[in-house]
Amino acid sequence: MAEERQVVVETVQLSKLFRDFWMRPKVKALDRVEFQVFRGEIFGLLGPNGSGKSTLLKILLGLLFPTQGRAAVFGRDPRNLAIKDRIGFMPEESYLYRYLNAEETLDFYGRLFNLPSAERRHRVELLLEMVGLTHQRKRPIVEYSKGMARRIGLAQALINDPDLIFLDEPTTGLDPTGTREIKDLILELRRRGKTVLLCSHLLADVEDVCDRVAILYGGRLRRLGSVDELLSLRAKTQITTDRLNAATIEQVVSRIHELEGPGMEVSVQTPRDRLENFFLHVVEEARAARLETSGVTVGAKPSAFFSGIEREQKADEILQELLKTTAEKAAEPKVISDTEEQPVVVVPLAPEPKADEQMISGLLKESIPSDAARTAGAGGERAAAEQQQVVLPVSGGSGDDSKTTQDVLKDLLNTRKPGSDEENTEESRTRKTEQ
Amino acid sequence: MDFSGAVYQVWTIARQSVVQAFRMKVAVVLVVFMLIMVPSLPFLLQSDNTHEGLLRMVITYSVMLITFLLGVLTLFLSAITLNTEIKNQHVFLLDPKPLARGTLLLGKWCGVMLINLILLTIMLGATYGFMRYLGRQTKGESQEGYDLVQWDLLTAREVAQPPLPPLEDWVQKEVKDIVANGEVPEGKSIQWVEKMVRQRLSKAAWIVPAGGVAKWTVSGIPKYKGALLIRFRHYADGQLSDPVLPGKFTINAGGQPYSTFEGEFSVGKPHSVGVPSDVVKPDGTVEITYENKYAPRDANQPPAVRAEFPFEDGIQVLYPAASFGENLIRAGAVIFMRLAFIAIVGLWASTFLSFPVAVLLSLVVFMIGYAADFILTGLVGQLVLFGPTMVPPWAPVNPVDNVIRTVLNYFFLMFPNFSQFDVVPNLSDGMIVSLGSILSCFLWLIVVRGGVLALTGWLIFRRRELAATTAAT
């Protein structure tokens, strides 16, 4: 599969040695690093401070040159001007001109791409709206908070509608709302065929959005793979249902012990919502009450100029269109991993949404359910008190998506016998059914 | 990247630099300083109590001030503009854009020059206005003073001189005689003899004995209405108790109309006398006749004193070739090119040095440029490290010293000599800044020296790892 995909970024035996003034070796920042980033994926670079990820990023941006090995972006040397038209870069720090305001900043970078004046103005408008800085457009950047500066940094990275976007710590300094918006935007960029390479210390962010990650330590590549491959707890099975009464739980547990043996470890607990979701809920309430703020407004609406979108469409219309499309997609179960390990089945429930859910759904309407379900956050949440999780070491999968949870559980408890084919889960497919 | 795209990027970077300079108040402070300084000059400077002297002072010091201040500003701006981009890591956002490093450098240079153009225009404009204002003030006091200021200062005159004698023929003849007579000093070559003879004859002069008459014909003067200025300077070969020499000048003697003036003219100083331009003949020539009217007044004076008019500037006819305003623009062009070169030096230094070191290096080049004449003639030309020190100038130079002098001469060729492109004497003398000197400035300062620096700076910068200083930390 990977071999058929277009390679956007590639490093081959990439090494970087920093020398001192007398050309004596000082630091070996990268040591024979090899990886590929494919078109349309979100690739995460992880590593502690000094692991070499910034150096790697700078080599890929042409700001540093390799000592040995090769780095290629779109198949060419990173210093090649021809590829730079297709690249966007959001740095970790704000390297923007402090005396320019947001509008001038975006206009300046747009000019460097030789964008025609009308097109540039149009993009500036959309990007300012997207990052929620329309009302702060005339303020000099020096007066911006760190979060606002990061937002404008992101906007400048997207001014040229790049095919490949480098994001260095994209959510650092942002409030949870901003973090969510950025993550949603990253996912949206991928949906439109963009490739994203991001460096982050915030592992939760990487886990939420990345398809594949590379972990660097001491300049060497330690792990490389998909997030699912790397993070799956293959020795565990988790079932999430609506709230069950104590008798049912007891029955389920005893049935599991009956089928899987008395030594099977089963824990039943009420899942917690994520603090991020809770916070966003509170903020949305405040917004609904029309409290004033001097900070950013709601942003993260993807700008209409991104490729793959009809330019005449208004952002809202595009957004509705996007939501319609993704909602249709979400109605079907989605295979997200082809691993030949033991399956994990998350069985969805389909209750009527409660008032809180509607609010959260409204707030997160720009999120993409398929991804949100994976992140257990964006749009697919249940009120925590209404859910219970059953976590057991081994379970089988069910392919009938039209059934309710109770049906599935019933099937699970009644039909699966020890030693059946499905128990030998070598060939089972991991499934995640989404709402 | 297509050419128009690159030009647009250069403009974008340049525009950005201008915005930076003005928003950071650097340029504004300088303009305010100049606008205060120029009108204050008449009160700060001591002139010879004449309006002409005052105006000469004002134009001299204001142009010197403008040239120096803008030079220093350019030096700092050019050294800081690229270094700031690197130090503040703005280049981390610029370099990943489709912006060639050469384009960035060119844009930065254009930005600095755009700032210079704006400031120079404002400052020279203010100087022009102030000079005009002071010039008008003289009219209220005396028409003669006003005319003198207008003819001698607030104008741009071209110089016409009588044809020089065939100096080179004289040199060759004299050298031939020395060789034929076996008078070549021991250990010296014929080239050395030739050089010495040429040096001596360059200081030669037209000599008019007491009671004698000399006649010069100056050609190439256009027909125009107004005053023609006859400028002369002479020396006396005898010991005069009073250093003045009586004489009489007649312009267009024997023709109609003609002009004459007579008097006792101090020796060694330049004199300017205005005559109507009607004396110019239809063929564009003017005949100047001088009669040495020296006669001893008493027994203490020498019986006969010769008047010596140096070939260099003994006799000159000055005619208006352009207005004062136009001359100021020409002077501005030369100043602008000097600034352009300084900007190249500053940017060149910042392609591989940090700000303080780049400024220091640029400052060294700047100071050498200002002191090039002194360095070459006063220091390098007199350098004695190995030979005896107290020897006459014609004594042979120690061979090692000779080699060192030659090497240093070639070394300092790399540096500009700003005195060659100094417009202050022209402006304070009311002399036109010729197109030839502007072209020469462009060729030697910008194309040759600037070109070499720009090329090496570009080669260094395009190979520079812009994140190298921070990546390893």
Side-chain angles (χ1 to χ4, degrees):
Chain A
M1 282 192 32
E3 286 75 21
E4 296 165 8
R5 299 171 67 184
Q6 183 188 342
V7 175
V8 174
V9 175
E10 184 178 29
T11 66
V12 180
Q13 292 288 302
L14 188 69
S15 299
K16 178 65 187 176
L17 182 67
F18 287 105
R19 298 176 186 275
D20 65 10
F21 182 80
W22 306 106
M23 300 307 287
R24 294 173 303 194
K26 195 167 76 173
V27 179
K28 189 155 197 177
L30 290 176
D31 189 8
R32 290 164 288 157
V33 173
E34 281 202 7
F35 70 91
Q36 291 179 324
V37 179
F38 301 105
R39 185 176 180 274
E41 77 172 341
I42 303 174
F43 189 89
L45 269 179
L46 295 175
N49 291 337
S51 59
K53 55 186 191 305
S54 285
T55 301
L56 179 57
L57 203 61
K58 282 164 185 164
I59 289 176
L60 293 175
L61 288 165
L63 294 165
L64 289 174
F65 310 146
T67 311
Q68 282 180 336
R70 188 173 67 87
V73 176
F74 294 114
R76 303 173 105 164
D77 188 291
R79 282 175 281 165
N80 190 304
L81 275 190
I83 61 159
K84 292 187 174 183
D85 263 330
R86 302 171 64 190
I87 289 176
F89 171 50
M90 176 195 183
E92 181 183 0
E93 299 290 330
S94 174
Y95 301 140
L96 304 167
Y97 296 101
R98 292 152 52 89
Y99 49 86
L100 295 182
N101 62 37
E103 196 175 58
E104 291 167 335
T105 298
L106 295 185
D107 184 72
F108 171 70
Y109 290 110
R111 284 169 182 269
L112 294 181
F113 286 99
N114 290 310
L115 296 176
S117 176
E119 175 71 14
R120 207 170 56 236
R121 279 199 298 273
H122 180 60
R123 290 188 182 195
V124 169
E125 285 297 326
L126 292 175
L127 283 168
L128 284 174
E129 191 180 350
M130 187 191 85
V131 297
L133 288 173
T134 305
H135 300 298
Q136 309 294 332
R137 63 200 303 161
K138 298 292 182 189
R139 273 176 70 183
I141 299 231
V142 68
E143 295 176 7
Y144 276 18
S145 68
K146 188 175 180 185
M148 291 162 80
R150 306 243 354 111
R151 285 164 185 264
I152 204 69
L154 175 67
Q156 67 78 29
L158 300 174
I159 189 78
N160 58 323
D161 186 14
D163 295 325
L164 170 63
I165 302 130
F166 294 98
L167 303 174
D168 196 0
E169 305 289 353
T171 55
T172 304
L174 292 177
D175 58 23
T177 315
T179 302
R180 170 58 60 85
E181 287 169 0
I182 297 289
K183 286 195 285 189
D184 285 347
L185 183 71
I186 291 170
L187 295 170
E188 174 59 25
L189 290 170
R190 179 186 59 182
R191 203 193 69 75
R192 301 192 188 194
K194 314 288 186 193
T195 309
V196 178
L197 194 155
L198 71 90
C199 287
S200 183
H201 289 105
L202 302 174
L203 304 181
D205 292 348
V206 175
E207 183 184 344
D208 284 353
V209 297
C210 287
D211 299 309
R212 290 194 304 139
V213 294
I215 301 174
L216 289 169
Y217 185 83
R220 299 191 71 171
L221 192 62
R222 302 289 167 172
R223 290 282 190 284
L224 175 67
S226 74
V227 174
D228 289 328
E229 281 170 4
L230 296 176
L231 301 185
S232 291
L233 297 175
R234 295 183 182 91
K236 299 275 184 187
T237 300
Q238 176 178 302
I239 300 168
T240 306
T241 75
D242 267 353
R243 183 171 187 166
L244 302 173
N245 61 46
T248 309
I249 293 170
E250 197 176 324
Q251 199 178 345
V252 168
V253 171
S254 63
R255 182 61 178 154
I256 290 170
H257 283 146
E258 186 184 325
L259 291 172
E260 302 289 342
M264 173 69 77
E265 184 188 327
V266 180
S267 69
V268 179
Q269 58 193 0
T270 302
R272 282 173 22 149
D273 196 3
R274 298 178 67 185
L275 183 58
E276 181 185 6
N277 297 330
F278 179 73
F279 176 84
L280 292 173
H281 174 72
V282 173
V283 170
E284 181 57 24
E285 277 182 341
R287 278 187 183 137
R290 297 176 183 278
L291 296 179
E292 285 189 0
T293 176
S294 62
V296 294
T297 53
V298 178
K301 291 184 178 179
S303 289
F305 68 79
F306 290 146
S307 53
I309 294 294
E310 290 295 326
R311 292 179 185 216
E312 293 75 17
Q313 285 183 293
K314 290 180 180 173
D316 287 346
E317 293 169 0
I318 297 160
L319 207 56
Q320 292 303 321
E321 191 69 25
L322 283 169
L323 288 169
K324 189 180 167 190
T325 314
T326 49
E328 284 166 1
K329 281 184 184 173
E332 296 174 8
K334 185 180 175 187
V335 177
I336 59 162
S337 173
D338 286 338
T339 57
E340 297 180 345
E341 305 294 335
Q342 292 180 347
V344 174
V345 180
V346 178
V347 185
L349 305 175
E352 287 299 314
K354 305 240 178 335
D356 286 353
E357 290 178 83
Q358 287 174 335
M359 186 179 289
I360 294 169
S361 297
L363 173 66
L364 304 173
K365 63 182 181 180
E366 293 141 28
S367 303
I368 299 168
S370 59
D371 295 299
R374 282 176 56 202
T375 61
E381 299 85 354
R382 295 290 159 287
E386 297 297 320
Q387 290 190 331
Q388 287 194 326
Q389 286 181 320
V390 181
V391 180
L392 60 166
V394 180
S395 82
S398 172
D400 190 351
D401 299 301
S402 62
K403 294 175 181 175
T404 64
T405 310
Q406 282 78 3
D407 292 338
V408 176
L409 271 172
K410 198 175 173 183
D411 287 348
L412 176 69
L413 297 173
N414 294 331
T415 59
R416 295 186 64 228
K417 305 292 181 196
S420 69
D421 288 346
E422 284 187 29
E423 190 194 21
N424 299 324
T425 53
E426 292 289 312
E427 296 175 6
S428 298
R429 305 178 79 186
T430 304
R431 295 188 175 200
K432 181 181 287 184
T433 312
E434 303 162 351
Q435 172 138 353
Chain B
M1 180 62 61
D2 61 315
F3 180 72
S4 62
V7 170
Y8 188 69
Q9 286 181 330
V10 167
W11 164 240
T12 300
I13 298 290
R15 185 171 164 271
Q16 166 76 5
S17 305
V18 176
V19 170
Q20 184 178 15
F22 279 93
R23 291 204 184 159
M24 305 298 262
K25 313 283 189 296
V26 178
V28 179
V29 168
L30 197 80
V31 170
V32 171
F33 178 72
M34 283 302 299
L35 291 180
I36 294 170
M37 281 302 292
V38 171
S40 309
L41 283 172
F43 307 103
L44 299 174
L45 301 172
Q46 289 288 326
S47 72
D48 58 0
N49 292 325
T50 64
H51 276 289
E52 191 192 358
L54 177 68
L55 262 75
R56 212 179 288 279
M57 282 277 197
V58 170
I59 189 73
T60 301
Y61 285 100
S62 56
V63 173
M64 276 172 63
L65 199 65
I66 289 168
T67 310
F68 182 77
L69 281 181
L70 282 184
V72 173
L73 176 82
T74 304
L75 193 149
F76 277 88
L77 270 185
S78 56
I80 204 171
T81 186
L82 190 63
N83 265 305
T84 307
E85 299 281 356
I86 296 168
K87 189 185 171 198
N88 294 344
Q89 300 175 353
H90 298 313
V91 282
F92 287 14
L93 286 182
L94 289 178
D95 206 51
K97 305 284 186 288
L99 176 73
R101 299 232 175 136
T103 309
L104 175 62
L105 278 180
L106 189 59
K108 285 286 170 193
W109 181 77
C110 287
V112 174
M113 293 319 296
L114 209 55
I115 295 164
N116 275 328
L117 186 65
I118 294 167
L119 296 184
L120 193 62
T121 306
I122 293 171
M123 291 173 180
L124 286 183
T127 305
Y128 175 79
F130 195 57
M131 287 292 288
R132 280 282 176 216
Y133 169 77
L134 287 179
R136 274 199 301 274
Q137 296 302 305
T138 57
K139 196 170 190 177
E141 299 200 357
S142 76
Q143 183 63 37
E144 191 185 339
Y146 175 77
D147 289 343
L148 193 62
V149 166
Q150 298 299 319
W151 293 343
D152 208 25
L153 198 61
L154 295 180
T155 184
R157 297 162 307 184
E158 189 70 87
V159 175
Q161 285 181 285
L164 292 176
L167 278 177
E168 196 52 35
D169 292 351
W170 291 6
V171 170
Q172 295 306 326
K173 182 175 178 302
E174 194 164 326
V175 169
K176 202 183 240 179
D177 290 347
I178 289 170
V179 172
N181 298 335
E183 294 169 351
V184 177
E186 196 176 333
K188 293 293 175 190
S189 64
I190 295 177
Q191 285 76 22
W192 182 85
V193 173
E194 193 176 309
K195 186 180 166 188
M196 292 294 115
V197 172
R198 190 172 283 116
Q199 269 183 14
R200 187 170 55 79
L201 286 180
S202 69
K203 293 181 173 58
W206 288 288
I207 293 169
V208 186
V213 174
K215 188 175 173 184
W216 298 279
T217 303
V218 182
S219 58
I221 299 165
K223 199 74 183 159
Y224 69 97
K225 283 198 179 299
L228 193 69
L229 215 66
I230 307 297
R231 180 179 284 182
F232 64 92
R233 184 162 64 96
H234 59 11
Y235 296 90
D237 75 333
Q239 291 294 321
L240 295 169
S241 55
D242 190 15
V244 293
L245 204 55
K248 180 183 177 185
F249 284 87
T250 307
I251 318 298
N252 199 18
Q256 278 297 335
Y258 72 96
S259 182
T260 182
F261 51 93
E262 186 174 355
E264 294 192 336
F265 302 105
S266 53
V267 298
K269 291 181 180 174
H271 301 270
S272 297
V273 181
V275 296
S277 60
D278 298 347
V279 294
V280 180
K281 290 181 178 176
D283 62 354
T285 58
V286 171
E287 279 186 7
I288 302 169
T289 309
Y290 171 74
E291 186 182 348
N292 184 351
K293 285 184 163 290
Y294 176 80
R297 292 175 189 161
D298 50 51
N300 294 331
Q301 286 200 314
V305 173
R306 299 188 307 180
E308 298 176 356
F309 292 83
F311 288 162
E312 188 185 4
D313 58 354
I315 292 290
Q316 293 179 326
V317 175
L318 282 72
Y319 58 91
S323 65
F324 174 67
E326 186 185 330
N327 207 30
L328 208 56
I329 292 171
R330 289 179 181 223
V334 174
I335 296 170
F336 188 73
M337 280 188 275
R338 282 175 55 156
L339 297 175
F341 176 77
I342 296 167
I344 292 173
V345 173
L347 273 170
W348 168 79
S350 14
T351 57
F352 61 98
L353 294 171
S354 61
F355 171 66
V357 192
V359 164
L360 197 66
L361 181 62
S362 308
L363 203 60
V364 168
V365 176
F366 184 70
M367 297 314 289
I368 289 176
Y370 264 94
D373 268 348
F374 168 71
I375 291 171
L376 289 174
T377 56
L379 294 180
V380 177
Q382 307 294 322
L383 183 81
V384 178
L385 291 177
F386 298 96
T389 50
M390 301 300 287
V391 291
W394 57 85
V397 182
N398 180 288
V400 181
D401 284 341
N402 210 15
V403 169
I404 294 171
R405 285 184 193 184
T406 308
V407 170
L408 285 176
N409 267 315
Y410 278 110
F411 173 75
F412 282 107
L413 267 183
M414 294 194 301
F415 296 89
N417 183 349
F418 288 151
S419 66
Q420 289 175 352
F421 312 112
D422 190 5
V423 291
V424 171
N426 294 60
L427 290 173
S428 65
D429 244 8
M431 305 297 289
I432 194 163
V433 178
S434 70
L435 290 176
S437 65
I438 296 173
L439 200 66
S440 161
C441 183
F442 176 73
L443 187 70
W444 293 109
L445 216 50
I446 306 295
V447 177
V448 177
R449 290 192 174 89
V452 170
L453 287 180
L455 186 68
T456 51
W458 172 69
L459 287 172
I460 293 168
F461 192 57
R462 71 195 292 262
R463 287 296 307 160
R464 181 169 173 182
E465 289 188 298
L466 293 175
T469 49
T470 56
T473 57

